[in-house]
Amino acid sequence: GRLEARKEMPVCGVVAVAVALTGVGGRELDALSVTFLLARVGQSLVHIARPQTKRVATVRFGPFFVQVVCVVAMGILLAIRA
């Protein structure tokens, strides 16, 4: 929920700003950005659509993990291409 977003969003923001400032782009970054966004929406939908239980939290972790992988991959691509 909120705690994960507080940890994840600043890192995602830094990567997004760095990508914008460096002008780095490409299909891979575009695909990772879309995947991140879809995972974020999925996580939010699970969060708001179901009463919060341990099982629901476990389900929410899947999209959260996808977001983390996307941000790390975007950071690596940025480091390689900048």
Side-chain angles (χ1 to χ4, degrees):
R2 289 174 247 219
L3 183 57
E4 291 125 3
R6 286 185 199 141
K7 294 177 184 176
E8 159 196 337
M9 296 312 284
V11 175
C12 182
V14 167
V15 171
V17 168
V19 167
L21 291 176
T22 61
V24 171
R27 285 185 186 186
E28 296 89 355
L29 278 169
D30 291 347
L32 287 166
S33 297
V34 170
T35 303
F36 176 90
L37 181 61
L38 291 173
R40 181 69 223 158
V41 169
Q43 181 186 6
S44 294
L45 287 174
V46 171
H47 185 74
I48 63 174
R50 305 292 301 177
Q52 296 307 298
T53 63
K54 287 183 182 183
R55 185 173 183 196
V56 172
T58 300
V59 171
R60 270 195 354 249
F61 180 75
F64 172 73
F65 184 73
V66 170
Q67 293 169 69
V68 171
V69 169
C70 287
V71 171
V72 169
M74 287 188 280
I76 290 169
L77 284 173
L78 177 64
I80 292 170
R81 294 179 181 175

